[in-house]
Amino acid sequence: MSVLVFAENWDGKFKKITHELVSYASGIAELTGGVVNVLSIGKVEEDELTGLGRFGAEKIWKVEGDEVAFLDNRVFASVLAEAVEKTGSRTVVLAHNNTGKAVAPCLSARLKAALGASVVALPESHNPFVVKKKVFNGNAFARVALNTEMRVLTLMQNSYGLHEREKQPEILDFVPGKAEKPAIRVEEVRKQTGKILLADADIVVSGGRGMKGPENWTMLEELAGVLNAATACSRPVSDEGWRPHSEHTGQTGKIIAPSLYIAVGISGAIQHVAGVRGSKYIVAINKDPDAPIFEVADYGIVGDAFKVVPEFTRAVEEVKKS
Amino acid sequence: MKIAVCLSHVPDTTTRIRFVDNNRRLDTNGVQWIINPWDELALTRALEIKESSGGRVEKVTVVHVGRAGADPTLRKAMAIGADNAIRVDADPADAFSVASHLAAALRQESFDLILCGIESSDYNNSAVGGMLAELLSVTSVSAVSGLEPADDGWLLHRDIDGGVEKIVASSPLVAIVQKGIAREPRIPSMRGIMMAKQKPLQVVPGVEVNPLTEYLGFEIPAPKPPCRKLDPEQVKELAGLLHKEAKVI
């Protein structure tokens, strides 16, 4: 009844989400019995692999061949399917991020294994296997029974957290014999470097139409700099071209769940809230006391953002120094 | 060349979500149904590709799994510009059964490109596109934010963390698209609405398929405690609360 985790890497390193997935898989293994296996695809540094033991990984399988040099959904699904067979796993855990969303459904259809997507907690029972998942853009949760012997789960980031269960993992080579051949070609990769990515950020500073124009983002960037935060924006802001689409948080943009989300000049339309309601704490700064953002905020300041934000930045600096 | 766009039919995204039958079923009372926002963008892009193809793309077909209640949504898709619609007359029990019905319907014709939105705004599974591709044994690319025809197939932009990849893939292809794929969804014109009435909406039976999952019930998250509102002069207190009480800075 082993559990298999798909561990994606970013330039040879794992992220917090990887540790969260291993933690979550260990939680499932406690429920169903069996051990936690990890399949790492691509070249990853040795101590990164060993580090997964802290969260309960017992066997770490690495695949490093050219066939997995980039994401081809069917190739990855075929490698995972083979790893499921080899490790005797009944449950596969992936992140509910771009890669997980690409691979999990292919794997599910390939194995005829029920898919529990965007799950937010450990299964409430394992026979039947019942998971809690996000539905209606976070406006509700569903309890879903996964009625097959095998199942594939994608976990929402920051929903389970990190739980240490120290193990001494064994690191093994995995050479797939039944992998599909890549059918796509990656011509070019463009990536920004040196910036904190929205998906990884623990703190996010976000601006809306109330910021009045792209030239006013400097003050948000200063606040973000002091907090070591990423910047984001609401949909009208990216539609106007004030900020890039990659910063749009909301239902049709990025869904994020940082520890702290600071919404400045954002009214809080239901579609925007759908993208940020998973945040642990929400701070709203808005001059309209009736703005719906205050309904989901934990702390709020009703006032002029252009005055409040610079003063708040200085106040945060003070706190950080103390 | 033929393009298919898979459409899901979802409650308007501003709907206040409520459940009935002991929280086992969505309360559809007063719900406005719309084309799933991502599918609508996919349709828009498909039409743009057809229009600029100089006749190479002969038609754009929309496909849906569901009952007759979705016919107005399919008419709307044709009013926007789709050439014809196929509705698989079956209950969309779960993502796997929807993908199985779609696969059977799409196998009847050879489509060069099949477009799916990255998720539907009701069940948020992000599953149908990938499952469909696997059931058809066709290559799929997900998180697609740009798509155009190329000499030897399709040129795609795939979003990755902090950037984008340029990808070449050949037909047939399932492209699972997200924001960026088209700028604004189209609004049907009066002429489009009139023309849509003449366009074919074909109803086909579903296939035998057992769903893999079962929705047991729903719950609405507990409301948050009321917001603690501070005056503009209290920025220091706010910083203090975030440090000492919330412990997030």
Side-chain angles (χ1 to χ4, degrees):
Chain A
M1 296 287 273
S2 288
V3 183
L4 181 67
V5 177
F6 168 60
E8 178 182 8
N9 75 82
W10 290 263
D11 301 319
K13 299 227 189 271
F14 293 136
K15 288 185 181 175
K16 186 178 163 196
I17 178 67
T18 323
H19 297 153
E20 187 175 14
L21 288 176
V22 176
S23 301
Y24 181 75
S26 303
I28 293 180
E30 279 181 1
L31 202 68
T32 63
V35 301
V36 175
N37 285 268
V38 175
L39 181 73
S40 162
I41 289 188
K43 291 199 168 53
V44 178
E45 296 161 24
E46 189 83 11
D47 51 346
E48 287 284 300
L49 294 170
T50 322
L52 300 181
R54 223 172 94 207
F55 303 95
E58 291 195 40
K59 281 186 179 167
I60 298 166
W61 305 86
K62 51 178 182 147
V63 192
E64 297 184 330
D66 287 342
E67 70 273 30
V68 292
F70 56 86
L71 170 63
D72 180 305
N73 300 348
R74 298 194 76 210
V75 176
F76 275 39
S78 65
V79 171
L80 267 161
E82 198 175 328
V84 165
E85 201 183 313
K86 182 161 184 113
T87 56
S89 299
R90 293 283 182 83
T91 310
V92 186
V93 178
L94 302 92
H96 195 71
N97 61 6
N98 278 353
T99 309
K101 286 191 259 184
V103 177
C106 291
L107 182 66
S108 160
R110 184 171 280 247
L111 298 174
K112 301 284 177 287
L115 175 66
S118 62
V119 299
V120 295
L122 282 179
E124 63 174 50
S125 64
H126 79 278
N127 194 17
F129 202 94
V130 177
V131 292
K132 181 177 176 181
K133 76 175 293 287
K134 186 187 91 156
V135 289
F136 297 102
N137 313 308
N139 288 309
F141 296 102
R143 291 170 57 240
V144 184
L146 307 182
N147 296 329
T148 48
E149 253 186 46
M150 277 187 276
R151 54 251 146 186
V152 178
L153 306 177
T154 61
L155 179 71
M156 291 298 287
Q157 187 163 351
N158 290 342
S159 60
Y160 182 70
L162 302 180
H163 300 263
E164 296 194 9
R165 294 176 178 86
E166 193 75 44
K167 291 270 160 43
Q168 299 299 323
E170 212 180 325
I171 296 173
L172 304 146
D173 283 312
F174 181 64
V175 183
K178 293 183 251 176
E180 305 259 354
K181 295 271 167 297
I184 63 169
R185 210 167 65 234
V186 177
E187 302 257 291
E188 195 190 326
V189 182
R190 269 182 283 155
K191 243 200 265 190
Q192 47 167 227
T193 47
K195 257 190 100 176
I196 300 165
L197 296 176
L198 199 43
D200 304 336
D202 209 35
I203 301 180
V204 173
V205 176
S206 187
R209 220 171 353 199
M211 293 306 294
K212 298 202 168 80
E215 65 280 7
N216 295 325
W217 245 260
T218 321
M219 84 173 89
L220 296 185
E221 277 163 350
E222 274 166 13
L223 176 57
V226 171
L227 287 168
N228 209 12
T231 51
C233 67
S234 66
R235 176 170 168 175
V237 167
S238 67
D239 281 356
E240 289 290 333
W242 297 356
R243 302 297 293 177
H245 282 298
S246 57
E247 289 196 359
H248 164 203
T249 47
Q251 184 175 285
T252 52
K254 291 215 162 56
I255 314 282
I256 55 169
S259 300
L260 175 61
Y261 182 74
I262 302 176
V264 184
I266 292 178
S267 65
I270 191 168
Q271 293 93 339
H272 182 75
V273 170
V276 302
R277 69 185 312 149
S279 310
K280 210 158 150 202
Y281 288 94
I282 296 177
V283 170
I285 300 172
N286 204 301
K287 64 172 192 240
D288 174 9
D290 299 323
I293 190 74
F294 289 116
E295 286 166 29
V296 291
D298 299 275
Y299 304 102
I301 289 190
V302 180
D304 179 3
F306 295 91
K307 277 203 196 120
V308 173
V309 172
E311 284 172 19
F312 180 54
T313 306
R314 279 195 293 279
V316 171
E317 268 175 327
E318 291 292 312
V319 166
K320 290 235 155 189
K321 263 188 253 161
S322 67
Chain B
M1 235 173 14
K2 294 180 199 167
I3 302 177
V5 182
C6 303
L7 295 188
S8 179
H9 173 235
V10 298
D12 185 312
T13 49
T14 57
T15 305
R16 193 163 190 100
I17 299 299
R18 272 182 280 242
F19 300 98
V20 290
D21 278 358
N22 213 1
N23 282 333
R24 287 178 62 88
R25 201 167 53 78
L26 178 71
D27 180 3
T28 53
N29 232 326
V31 168
Q32 290 267 18
W33 294 88
I34 58 165
I35 304 177
N36 177 43
W38 292 274
D39 302 346
E40 197 177 22
L41 290 175
L43 173 60
T44 303
R45 186 65 196 134
L47 297 171
E48 289 167 358
I49 291 172
K50 183 190 169 199
E51 285 156 9
S52 59
S53 74
R56 274 180 67 219
V57 176
E58 52 192 283
K59 68 168 182 173
V60 172
T61 302
V62 290
V63 194
H64 171 78
V65 177
R67 301 299 185 184
D71 286 351
T73 299
L74 293 173
R75 288 281 171 212
K76 186 189 169 196
M78 291 191 283
I80 294 169
D83 296 286
N84 67 313
I86 301 170
R87 178 167 63 78
V88 181
D89 192 34
D91 289 318
D94 73 345
F96 182 75
S97 54
V98 169
S100 302
H101 291 304
L102 286 173
L106 291 166
R107 260 192 219 110
Q108 304 305 314
E109 251 180 281
S110 54
F111 288 99
D112 301 275
L113 177 68
I114 298 170
L115 294 177
C116 296
I118 186 128
E119 68 175 286
S120 63
S121 62
D122 46 9
Y123 294 102
N124 305 136
N125 285 321
S126 294
V128 170
M131 288 180 172
L132 171 64
E134 192 62 34
L135 294 171
L136 292 171
S137 300
V138 163
T139 299
S140 65
V141 181
S142 187
V144 173
S145 61
L147 170 66
E148 52 191 283
D151 292 341
D152 49 351
W154 303 95
L155 181 65
L156 305 108
H157 285 188
R158 173 166 70 186
D159 281 8
I160 53 171
D161 286 344
V164 67
E165 289 173 331
K166 276 190 184 173
I167 289 173
V168 175
S170 49
S171 298
L173 174 74
V174 174
I176 301 160
V177 307
Q178 64 184 38
K179 180 157 169 123
I181 187 73
R183 211 176 134 67
E184 285 279 333
R186 292 189 181 183
I187 294 162
S189 66
M190 209 52 209
R191 189 176 129 80
I193 294 168
M194 296 310 289
M195 280 170 66
K197 290 180 182 160
Q198 313 303 321
K199 290 179 178 176
L201 193 169
Q202 189 191 352
V203 179
V204 301
V207 290
E208 277 286 315
V209 55
N210 289 322
L212 307 180
T213 62
E214 184 190 354
Y215 282 76
L216 303 177
F218 298 93
E219 60 182 82
I220 304 278
K224 275 191 127 174
C227 174
R228 188 143 159 200
K229 281 191 190 162
L230 303 165
D231 292 327
E233 296 74 41
Q234 291 177 293
V235 287
K236 279 197 178 135
E237 282 80 347
L238 177 61
L241 285 168
L242 292 174
H243 179 59
K244 291 210 181 89
E245 192 178 270
K247 298 188 171 67
V248 285
I249 66 171

